[in-house]
Amino acid sequence: MKRKINDELNRVKKELYLKAAAVYFDKYGYKNFKISQLAVELETSIGTIYNLFISKENLYLEYLILKLQTFLDKLNENETTNPMENLELYLSCKYEIFIQIDNNRDETLINDPYFFHKLDISNHAIVNEIYEFLIRQFKTLYPNSQVDYKHTVILFKKLSDGFIESYLIEKYDTKNIVRDTIELFFHGLEKK
């Protein structure tokens, strides 16, 4: 019984520490994040954090999974029967931080908040669930076609990643970023 209690306490502690770490990762990014800062904030020892997460990299991976789960939850909660609206929802959620920053001209982006498009966690179940969300939309848009839906979804995701990369290199007005992504993906560069 004591072991069950300890396991549950560690699970709750890990969850709370992860939520606190998420605030720091969001604010400082991976490079500037220090376990010692988190330990001070949590009023605990650095060793306690390492006992729960093994390394800064492991803590960051847990953070990524948490962020992806939040992202997926938002998609699932707001999914409609209209696949194009759902693709726009995906993009709006993905671009949310950039759109917010452009709406608040005083705020600047000091780190890359779209960490997960750069890291290889592609085999994680949460990533597959996000792909499945997108695959559903393309299957509805193009039923019974010869389209390789997974390939199409990866291209769609990579195009939106490119908009993020471009923004991080040189800030631009994101007012129409969702529409621009949809237009470029479905219609290319040529205008009719």
Side-chain angles (χ1 to χ4, degrees), residues 84-95:
M84 196 58 76
E85 284 179 11
N86 293 331
L87 292 176
E88 291 172 1
L89 168 66
Y90 169 84
L91 294 171
S92 294
C93 292
K94 187 169 185 173
Y95 296 150

Side-chain angles (χ1 to χ4, degrees), residues 6 9 23 49 53 87 98 104 134-135 144 184 186:
N6 283 336
L9 285 172
V23 172
I49 296 171
F53 295 101
L87 292 176
F98 302 101
N104 181 4
L134 292 170
I135 287 169
N144 304 319
L184 186 58
F186 287 99

Side-chain angles (χ1 to χ4, degrees), residues 149-185:
Y149 296 109
K150 178 79 178 228
H151 179 71
T152 303
V153 162
I154 290 169
L155 292 173
F156 184 75
K157 179 198 172 295
K158 290 297 182 182
L159 176 65
S160 59
D161 290 349
F163 272 82
I164 291 168
E165 272 309 304
S166 177
Y167 183 94
L168 293 172
I169 291 168
E170 186 173 324
K171 189 175 175 178
Y172 56 86
D173 184 0
T174 60
K175 175 177 46 178
N176 299 315
I177 192 171
V178 170
R179 189 200 67 209
D180 292 346
T181 306
I182 294 287
E183 284 294 315
L184 186 58
F185 187 79

Side-chain angles (χ1 to χ4, degrees), residues 2-13:
K2 184 177 180 180
R3 182 178 166 105
K4 277 186 175 181
I5 292 170
N6 283 336
D7 288 346
E8 184 62 16
L9 285 172
N10 282 336
R11 186 193 63 75
V12 170
K13 188 187 294 185

Side-chain angles (χ1 to χ4, degrees), residues 107-124:
E107 195 174 337
T108 57
L109 192 63
I110 60 166
N111 63 62
D112 180 353
Y114 264 88
F115 44 76
F116 65 80
H117 75 277
K118 290 182 176 175
L119 295 179
D120 186 17
I121 57 171
S122 57
N123 292 328
H124 195 278

